[in-house]
Amino acid sequence: MSAHCQLTGAQPGFGNTISHSHRRTSRRFDPNIQRKRYWPPSEGRYVRLALSAKAIKTVDSIGIEAAVARIRARGGKI
């Protein structure tokens, strides 16, 4: 599973780990991606989405129908 949110588009960020001796090594900051299953009544089936924790809260507030519309508007496949 790639570290990419279908609703918000959150992707990994990159930076450096800095040790006590101040040596830098590259690292990756992954978003908190969760696989979640929703039932949109207009689809008539379950939809499994890969969402960040922030996007799950967004779906809870705007509803699954609006979230699916946003994903499709971004060009995402459901």
Side-chain angles (χ1 to χ4, degrees), residues 30-74:
D30 285 330
N32 186 7
I33 300 294
Q34 308 292 323
R35 302 259 311 164
K36 191 133 169 78
R37 197 173 79 147
Y38 291 99
W39 175 268
S42 64
E43 297 279 321
R45 64 183 175 96
Y46 281 104
V47 172
R48 191 177 301 271
L49 300 174
L51 301 172
S52 63
K54 180 181 177 182
I56 291 172
K57 295 174 190 174
T58 303
V59 171
D60 289 343
S61 65
I62 68 172
I64 185 61
E65 296 291 339
V68 167
R70 282 190 193 181
I71 292 170
R72 287 206 169 111
R74 291 183 72 240

Side-chain angles (χ1 to χ4, degrees), residues 18-36:
I18 301 179
S19 69
H20 180 70
S21 65
H22 217 64
R23 288 178 60 102
R24 292 174 172 91
T25 55
S26 59
R27 61 161 294 179
R28 178 173 150 149
F29 297 90
D30 285 330
N32 186 7
I33 300 294
Q34 308 292 323
R35 302 259 311 164
K36 191 133 169 78

